[in-house]
Structures are given as C-alpha cells and as structure tokens.
Amino acid sequence: MRRGLGARWRRVGLPAGCLAGFAEKVNAHKLVQKMMKDWTRNIVLDVTDSGSAWTLAVVDGKVAEVRAGRSEPAHVTLAAPEAVLAGIFEGKLNPAKEFSAGRLKFSGSSKDEMRLDAVVQYVWK
Amino acid sequence: MLKKSLRLRTLVAASAGLALASSVFTAAVQVAGLSGMGLAWLAIAVGGAVCVLAAWNFSELCAAFPNAGGVSVYVREAFGSTLSLTVSLLYVVLAWAAGAAEAYVFATVLSVLFRGLPVLSQIPPIVWVLATLGFFFVINLRGVELAGRVQDLMTYTMFGVLLVVSLAAWLLPGTAAGGTGVGAGVGAGAAGAKAIAGVAPGFGSFLQAIAYSVYLFIGFEWITPLVEESEDRMFLPRAMPLAVAGLAVSYALFAEAMATRVPLSQLAQSPTPHLLYGQAIGGNTGLLVLVAVSFLATFTSFNAGMMGTSRLVYAMAREGALPPALSKVHLTYFTPWSALLFMFLVEAVLSVVLIYTGQFTVPILLAAAIESTIYALAALAVLKLRKSQPGLERPYRAPGGAAQPVVTAVLFTALALGVLLPPTPVAVPVGFAIGLAGAWLYARFVAPRLAETSG
C-alpha cells in the first residue's frame, strides 16, 4: 500500500512525489502514529503558483490517500508556492520560518496547526 | 482558499477583550491621580485618541502584509530581522509584566472575595497568585479556547456592565467603602503599596497621566494576525479604532465614577480599586458584581494573552531564535507545553516579587513603556515602508499622509519617556533598560548563533 502510493505519485512530480514520501514516513513512525491516533482530517494543499491543489486524507492517524484536487470538507488548508510545500514535506524547509515569512498560509483550528507542526517535527527529526 | 469567517463584531470583541483586564482598573486610578481635578476622562480620551493613531498604522501594515506573524513581520520588512526579533522579545517581556500584574490583581480580588470565610480567608495571597497562574496554565495546556460567539458575549457583557455600574455612581445612593461584610478591608491588600496617584496635579503630571493611560489599551493590536481570517480585509482597520474608542469611553466613565464615589487616596492604595467602588455603590452586591466583571476581564485577557504569547515563544523556538527546548508540543493536548511552562514560571516569580514588594504599579508602567515603544516603531515602519516599497499594494492607507506616522512616532516616544520619568518608581526605567538592551543584545548576538546551530 505504502509502496504503491509512492510509486504512483512520484511520477507526477512535486509536490505529489514528496507528499507520498511524507505519507510513508508518517504511516511508519510509531510515535507519530500514537500522536495521530483518532485524527481524521482532510489536509488540503493549495499550490499558489500553479493553481493546483492536493489533499492528504488522514483517517485515524494514517495518511490513507494522497489525491489531486481539493476535497471537502477541508479541515486544514496549507497554501504556499510549490517549492515551499515541497521543501516542507521533504523536510528541507522549516514550516515555522516559512509561516513567519508569509510564504506559507494556514487555515484550520490552532490545535490542528500544532498537531501538524508536531508531526512534521517528529517525522524529520 | 483560506477560510475567512471572522466578522467585524468578533474582531472588535477580540481586540477590546485583550485590552480589558482586571489590572486596568488599577492603572485607571493612577491616571486619575495624576490628571487631577476630575480630568481622568480627558487623559483617557486623549490616550485613546493617540492609540487610534497607532491603530491606523497597524491597519495599514496588516492590510499590506496579511500575515499571521503580525508586528514582527512589519518590523522585519521595514528594519530587518534583528529589530524584528527585538520587538518579539519585548512582547514577551510585556506579557510577563502584564501577566504578573494581572495575576496579582486578580489574586487580590479572590482574597477579598473570600475574606471573612472560615478556611479560605486563612489562605495567604501568594497561594491565590499561584492558584490564579496555575489555573490559566492548566486551561492553556489543555488548549481551552473561547469560541468566537462566547468571546463576543463576554466582552459585550463586560462593556454593558461597566457602563451600568459607572452610571450608578451618579444614580444610586452610596455605601461607605471599606465597611463591613465580604468587602471589608478591600484596600488593605496593598499594605505598603507604592502607588503614584496623589501627586500634585499639573500640566506635566497630566501628560504623564496620558502616558499611563496607554496601559488601558494594551493588546488591541494583537488581532493583526487574524487579518487573513476576517471576512473582509478591511474589517481590521475598522475593528481596532472601534475597540479603542469603546474602551476609552468605558474607562473614562468608570474612572470618573470611581473618583466620584471613593476618595482617590483610598483607591490609589488598593490593587483592586474597582472593588472599593463596587462596595461604595452597592454594598456587598455591588462588590460581587465587580468581582464578576473582574473574573470575566481576567479570563478573556489573560487566557488569550498567555495563549498568544506562549505560541509566540513556541514559534520563535521553532524558527531557531529561542532554544529548541521551548518548542515542545504536548502529545495529548497539542499545545506548546514548554513555552507555557516558561511563561508560567517567570510570571509566578514576578508575581511573588510583587507580593513582597507591594510595587503593583511597576509592571503596569513597564508594560505601558514597552507598548509605547512598539507603537512608535510601528509608526516608523509605516514611514519606512512607504519609502522603501512604494509600489506595495496597500488596501488601506492610514489617514493624515506622511505627517500622521511622524506625529504618532513622536507622541509615543514622548509617552514612553513620560512613563519612565519621576514620579514613576525607579524600577520601571531600570526594568525597561534591561529589557530593551537584553532583547536587542540577544537578537543581535545570541539568536544568529542559535539559528546556525539548529540549522
């Protein structure tokens, strides 16, 4: 399943490829899985420079699907240029710095914001 | 697209709710004492008018940079990252000062409320202070947030009650303050207090009263990070001046009402002058009404303030500007527990210092000086950005042309100096100098190395 996700999306290019890699890491990380337990959300990524969108569908803590397009309801929305989103999900960019610099926008509850940031911290630690 | 759900009503409530705290009543009495001859309302009105100028500048900045980073982003765009980090650190110092003052005042409210009761009256003030801070630490740790409608309801209820109890000064017959019952000895909590009110009034002291009144509006600009969540980007330029105007009217009325019914000398010696007033207008019932207002005021301002500042500390730690130990997230509640604990511990230490020194006006005045400095800097940022980025899209432009930010910067610099000069206790300018120099030195020399280490 995880391998399938990666193989399918890596062909499409960024950010899809790195999203699949991120999904694999999240699903394999024990502590992150403990943190994400019971968390079911649609995380929508708005790619501001290309106008495209992606959805990470999280079901009970597992990234069940990475799909092109915006899914409703969008519980959490991240909006940024493609390079920024790719850098964050590949662990090369610090999301806090991007957010503070205004290159990354977030919409959703503050609890979801903290949870997502914690997940990124642990996955790329 | 990002969700845009905040209405004007909620933004006004959030802006005013952050500023309206229990400690503002203490500050209002200091304003009344300095202004003299029933001119507290005028000092507060002028202070409010000056803060509206600051609100216009923040409005231009947040409309041009709709970013959750708020003031630190504007300052970075205008003056670079060192000054931006300095301002963020000053906000942390401001939160320590205001938080300690608020905890001290609210703990005094609780000790007054329980005075005369068998067991609760035996509890020393330090326990009430730590219990107050501990309560807010726990609810912040658990991520308790007020929903927009609840925030609206609480803030507008406070405004309504304040208006009614203020008018009661002229409409109701009085009861002597400091009499018997639960309110007995309301002012005694500040035995040994070093209050300022009561100096010989004059033009100089009136100007200082205006400077002190800045504390009454502290926090109104903390809604700037919400610009992206507002239904209309132009709501913030309306919300902040409306909140400041509403606060100015409420405070002016309440300060005059207090001074009308309770001797200023008595008010000035109490960290809870509003309770003295409550007792004066309605005996124990009046006192309980003001205790309820105090609770609402502390809850709305302290909870949002502690939450906002702990997230600021967390964000700075995540960016590498503060030690990474401050970026720990609670794995059950998903709140920044280490940043919260840091804020709690510093505020607890400061509150204990307040208890033993009785210098409850020091953190209030320190916060006013810091906020005046930040408002002056925001005005300068408007000027600088108009020059350095003339082509930047500005959906809102502060009225008054180039003169307005210049006047605002000069006024707030003067007000900051006004707060720092005698009869202000010497601890205020010393604390301000240490805070400012410490923040700048940290931002200039320590933070860059820390960022390098953290990658």
Side-chain angles (χ1 to χ4, degrees):
Chain A
M1 167 81 179
R2 286 197 310 246
R3 195 173 165 192
L5 266 179
R8 183 156 49 135
W9 291 109
R10 258 190 276 277
R11 287 198 302 273
V12 188
L14 293 172
C18 63
L19 289 181
F22 179 75
E24 286 170 13
K25 278 190 167 290
V26 167
N27 290 345
H29 200 293
K30 280 185 184 170
L31 185 59
V32 169
Q33 280 304 302
K34 194 179 164 193
M35 284 161 54
M36 302 263 280
K37 196 175 64 169
D38 303 330
W39 202 51
T40 298
R41 294 285 188 278
N42 282 331
I43 301 170
V44 172
L45 312 177
D46 276 336
V47 188
T48 52
D49 47 354
S50 70
S52 62
W54 299 88
T55 300
L56 288 168
V58 180
V59 179
D60 289 332
K62 295 269 184 200
V63 183
E65 196 181 356
V66 180
R67 53 178 174 258
R70 158 178 273 271
S71 299
E72 294 295 339
H75 303 102
V76 171
T77 304
L78 298 174
E82 188 170 295
V84 172
L85 287 172
I88 289 169
F89 285 99
E90 285 174 336
K92 291 175 184 164
L93 290 178
N94 179 336
K97 280 185 181 168
E98 298 307 311
F99 183 72
S100 163
R103 290 186 288 267
L104 171 69
K105 315 276 186 191
F106 175 89
S107 174
S109 76
S110 55
K111 204 164 259 188
D112 283 345
E113 180 185 5
M114 292 297 292
R115 193 189 298 239
L116 201 52
D117 193 40
V119 167
V120 172
Q121 273 198 67
Y122 279 102
V123 162
W124 298 113
K125 201 180 253 183
Chain B
M1 288 294 290
L2 299 179
K3 195 163 69 182
K4 296 179 185 299
S5 57
L6 295 176
R7 297 174 177 189
L8 179 62
R9 181 192 69 202
T10 301
L11 290 167
V12 174
S15 181
L18 274 161
L20 187 50
S22 290
S23 48
V24 297
F25 303 115
T26 317
V29 167
Q30 302 306 311
V31 173
L34 280 167
S35 53
M37 293 184 296
L39 290 177
W41 67 272
L42 187 57
I44 291 171
V46 174
V50 179
C51 284
V52 167
L53 298 180
W56 285 344
N57 291 326
F58 281 114
S59 298
E60 177 169 328
L61 293 167
C62 76
F65 300 99
N67 186 305
V71 180
S72 65
V73 172
Y74 321 143
V75 176
R76 184 173 55 216
E77 289 288 332
F79 304 112
S81 54
T82 300
L83 206 51
S84 166
L85 182 56
T86 305
V87 167
S88 297
L89 292 170
L90 280 178
Y91 264 125
V92 175
V93 177
L94 186 152
W96 287 339
E102 189 65 14
Y104 176 75
V105 169
F106 188 67
T108 311
V109 170
L110 290 179
S111 62
V112 167
L113 179 66
F114 297 130
R115 195 163 287 165
L117 296 178
V119 179
L120 293 171
S121 61
Q122 303 303 312
I123 296 173
I126 188 169
V127 175
W128 287 122
V129 166
L130 295 176
T132 302
L133 282 168
F135 171 75
F136 286 106
F137 171 70
V138 170
I139 61 169
N140 272 284
L141 184 68
R142 295 185 67 104
V144 176
E145 284 184 76
L146 291 178
R149 282 183 186 175
V150 179
Q151 170 87 31
D152 291 359
L153 185 69
M154 286 172 84
T155 305
Y156 291 117
T157 301
M158 277 190 291
F159 272 121
V161 173
L162 270 184
L163 184 67
V164 170
V165 296
S166 299
L167 294 176
W170 295 280
L171 300 175
L172 288 180
T175 304
T180 57
V182 292
V186 164
K194 309 291 189 296
I196 289 158
V199 299
F203 184 67
S205 65
F206 182 75
L207 291 181
Q208 276 197 311
I210 297 170
Y212 283 23
S213 74
V214 171
Y215 184 83
L216 305 177
F217 305 97
I218 279 180
F220 77 82
E221 82 284 8
W222 283 30
I223 62 165
T224 50
L226 300 177
V227 63
E228 285 185 290
E229 295 173 51
S230 64
E231 280 183 349
D232 185 329
R233 203 193 280 194
M234 297 306 288
F235 278 174
L236 260 81
R238 286 155 65 190
M240 286 187 282
L242 276 174
V244 170
L247 288 166
V249 171
S250 305
Y251 293 148
L253 265 175
F254 194 73
E256 285 302 326
M258 281 196 293
T260 301
R261 296 299 285 265
V262 185
L264 202 53
S265 56
Q266 205 177 341
L267 290 171
Q269 293 303 316
S270 171
T272 53
H274 53 304
L275 300 192
L276 282 173
Y277 170 70
Q279 195 183 22
I281 57 162
N284 288 342
T285 308
L287 183 116
L288 289 173
V289 169
L290 267 297
V291 165
V293 169
S294 216
F295 180 79
L296 285 177
T298 297
F299 193 89
T300 52
S301 63
F302 207 138
N303 199 33
M306 195 185 242
M307 191 174 285
T309 319
S310 64
R311 299 241 158 117
L312 175 67
V313 169
Y314 170 83
M316 285 194 282
R318 283 285 285 125
E319 290 175 34
L322 287 176
L326 293 171
S327 68
K328 304 286 182 200
V329 178
H330 196 285
L331 296 184
T332 304
Y333 303 124
F334 296 98
T335 46
W337 71 264
S338 57
L340 269 169
L341 185 64
F342 174 61
M343 297 302 295
F344 167 77
L345 290 175
V346 176
E347 285 175 11
V349 169
L350 291 178
S351 302
V352 171
V353 171
L354 286 188
I355 288 173
Y356 288 106
T357 60
Q359 296 265 9
F360 58 85
T361 56
V362 169
I364 288 174
L365 299 175
L366 181 60
I370 291 173
E371 195 73 315
S372 295
T373 308
I374 292 173
Y375 290 170
L377 203 57
L380 293 175
V382 168
L383 271 180
K384 175 85 190 296
L385 288 166
R386 281 181 185 173
K387 210 167 193 177
S388 62
Q389 300 186 37
L392 181 73
E393 188 194 349
R394 289 178 172 80
Y396 175 83
R397 212 176 172 91
Q404 184 275 123
V406 173
V407 170
T408 307
V410 170
L411 280 175
F412 276 107
T413 304
L415 291 179
L417 289 172
V419 175
L420 297 171
L421 295 172
T424 297
V426 71
V428 177
V430 169
F432 179 80
I434 291 172
L436 185 62
W440 187 82
L441 289 170
Y442 183 92
R444 177 72 182 81
F445 298 106
V446 181
R449 289 184 186 179
L450 205 58
E452 269 177 32
T453 313
S454 69

